[in-house]
């Protein structure tokens, strides 16, 4: 029988004001500053640390595409050729057009309408879909993704541009990847076995970028040959080819080409995953129950549809819609009247959540299986050779984040609205896939945990015995119990390439949990594979409690990802709400190396 193991009483939070610099053989190292002897000892033993990454300037080398400005420039050219308006007036209009971003004016004028529309959507549409888009819109860094074979980190920003950072030389590619087709970026995925192809999932479909660096000596534009995308990348024949500014305009170092793929019926790409060989690209939307599989060789599309029960009569659907709207109105009014009312953290299936749209996509490491999760709490594993599937009925809830272990024998996952870390073991018996649920763990602070601590302290104040107060001070890193906040549900999981370190990002915490994962192989010997070792605290906390919502948001992580190749263990990239990224190395003896 599956059990839940609570580790919160055995874990200690990093000391307030300290920063986590890495792991040394299952022990996280936190330092108070540059003069901390633990920092010197860590560097002496393991080498240098990577510097904290600050995003480029908002306007540096990002190609800007204004649709209204372009239309006005075209109108000015036509008017100039006809000679209707005097030339000085046209020159002045053209000068103002270059100075003003007319698209931003339109966006500002439409903010009132957008807010009214958001209120309507929150009362009438899918709550989880809107919340997901709303949270991403408020983040400076929406998503980070490591290249599977090179130390290249792709970073999607708030303005729908994507930047590439080369960790091997610690420098940015000189131009941001931006284009009119690339609006509302939701996800990033490097194509395996391709070198430099980056897929960007956005509102209009998928933008396929070809990003490569020119390592030849810098010269003049006249002596430099413009690259040919079809010649340089013959395996990628694109229907539409665009290019970023020329060598002289982008500092003469980097070139990027883009080809777009728009799929009818898919309202935005929220989830995307390449198979391990880079031959198939799975696409899903948070507003559609259909998963599209795009064959990169033949450009063929395969649709995986969620066949639900027969559609109920129209009057029943109207009643269900009315009941859901009333429920959302009650929840909205309740949060407005009583903003401090606490809501327990629990899976979506315990809160009456409904929906048939996609919420998760993940390929197995061997490429044989594709896991698809739906908001209707259905999880399917497709056999990619035939696209036949089985439903995993032990996953009771809508999937939030999923990681396959490198051997493909275990699936680590979390559910939407839940803070438990879960796993199942997969086996193939008699040619069919079977699974065994494993024990869950809890490593987050809940509202009830904090209230228990406060109750014990109040009892101590009456008895005069202060053993709990000192114990809590050490356990919570010199934080007062009164300032503790619950971690909230798990939002993102990241597993390193060795399958031995798991990073856990919570919705409301400024700490990232770190868990040791036990390798079991193909035979199940133990239902316990998780062992939490502590929490990573970033440079954003500064040891001070946030004074407002803006500072509180900046102190929390917005995206996490492990680098695919790292000597001596693994390295985690953490993007913070302030727009900074730091790299946390984990040095340990891997089970692969010890074999």
């Amino acid at each position: 029988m599956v059990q839940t193991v609570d580790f919160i009483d055995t874990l200690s939070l990093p000391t307030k004001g300290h920063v986590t610099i890495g792991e040394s053989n299952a022990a996280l190292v936190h330092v108070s500053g540059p003069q901390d002897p633990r920092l010197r000892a860590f560097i002496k033993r393991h080498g240098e640390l990577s510097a904290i990454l600050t995003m480029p300037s908002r306007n540096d080398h990002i190609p800007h595409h204004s649709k209204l400005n372009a239309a006005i420039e075209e109108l000015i050219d036509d008017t100039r050729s006809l000679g209707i308006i005097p030339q000085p007036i046209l020159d002045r209009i053209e000068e103002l057009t270059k100075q003003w971003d007319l698209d931003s004016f339109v966006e500002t004028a439409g903010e009132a309408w957008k807010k009214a529309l958001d209120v309507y959507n929150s009362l009438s549409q899918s709550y989880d879909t809107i919340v997901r888009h709303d949270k991403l819109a408020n983040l400076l860094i929406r998503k980070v993704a490591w290249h599977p074979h090179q130390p290249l980190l792709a970073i999607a920003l708030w303005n729908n541009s994507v930047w590439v950072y080369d960790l091997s030389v610690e420098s940015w590619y000189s131009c941001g990847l931006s284009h009119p087709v690339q609006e509302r970026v939701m996800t990033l995925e490097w194509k395996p076995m391709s070198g430099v192809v980056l897929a960007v999932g956005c509102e209009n479909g998928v933008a396929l970028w070809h990003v490569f660096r020119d390592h030849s000596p810098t010269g003049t534009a006249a002596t430099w040959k413009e690259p040919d995308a079809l010649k340089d990348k013959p395996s990628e024949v694109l229907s539409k080819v665009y290019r970023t500014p020329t060598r002289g305009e982008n500092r003469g170092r980097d070139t990027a080409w883009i080809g777009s793929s728009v799929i009818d019926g898919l309202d935005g790409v929220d989830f995307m995953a390449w198979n391990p060989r880079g031959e198939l690209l799975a696409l899903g939307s948070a507003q559609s129950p259909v998963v599209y599989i795009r064959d990169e060789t033949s450009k063929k599309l395969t649709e995986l549809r969620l066949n639900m029960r027969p559609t109920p009569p129209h009057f029943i659907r109207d009643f269900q819609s009315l009941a859901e709207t009333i429920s959302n109105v009650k929840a909205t009014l309740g949060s407005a009247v009583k903003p401090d009312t606490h809501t327990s953290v629990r899976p979506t299936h315990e809160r009456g959540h409904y929906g048939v749209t996609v919420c998760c996509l993940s390929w197995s490491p061997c490429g044989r299986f594709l896991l698809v999760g739906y908001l209707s709490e259905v999880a399917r594993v497709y056999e990619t050779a035939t696209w036949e599937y089985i439903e995993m009925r032990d996953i009771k809830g809508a999937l939030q984040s999923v990681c396959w272990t490198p051997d493909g024998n275990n699936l680590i996952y979390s559910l939407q609205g839940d803070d438990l870390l879960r796993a199942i073991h997969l086996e193939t018996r008699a040619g069919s896939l079977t699974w065994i649920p494993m024990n869950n763990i809890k490593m987050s602070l809940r509202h009830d945990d904090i209230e228990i601590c406060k109750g014990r302290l109040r009892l101590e104040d009456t008895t005069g015995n202060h053993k709990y107060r000192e114990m809590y001070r050490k356990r919570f890193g010199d934080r007062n119990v009164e300032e503790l906040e619950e971690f909230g549900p798990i939002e993102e999981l990241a597993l390193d390439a060795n399958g031995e370190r798991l990073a856990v990002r919570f919705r409301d915490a400024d700490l990232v949990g770190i868990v040791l994962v036990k390798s079991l192989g193909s035979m199940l010997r133990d239902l316990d594979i998780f062992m939490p070792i502590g929490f990573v605290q970033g440079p954003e906390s500064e040891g001070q409690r946030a004074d407002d919502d803006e500072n509180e948001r900046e102190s929390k992580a917005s995206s996490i990802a492990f680098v695919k190749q790292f000597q001596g263990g693994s390295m985690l990239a953490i993007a913070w709400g302030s727009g900074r990224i730091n790299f946390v190395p984990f040095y340990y003896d891997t089970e692969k190396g010890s074999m």
Side-chain angles (χ1 to χ4, degrees), residues 40 82 297 334 441:
R40 301 175 187 174
L82 295 175
T297 303
I441 71 164

Side-chain angles (χ1 to χ4, degrees), residues 448-492:
D448 295 340
D449 299 324
I450 299 174
E451 289 301 315
I452 290 175
C453 295
K454 291 180 179 179
R456 288 175 177 173
L457 293 182
R458 285 193 294 266
L459 182 61
E460 280 189 349
D461 292 338
T462 60
T463 60
N465 184 8
H466 297 291
K467 69 172 184 177
Y468 279 116
R469 189 172 298 277
E470 182 62 21
M471 182 182 71
Y472 289 155
R473 187 186 66 81
K474 295 180 180 178
R475 175 180 157 193
F476 297 131
D478 290 336
R479 295 173 178 85
N480 295 324
V481 174
E482 289 74 17
E483 67 181 89
L484 293 178
E485 296 181 357
E486 61 178 331
F487 289 0
I490 295 174
E491 281 215 330
E492 188 177 8

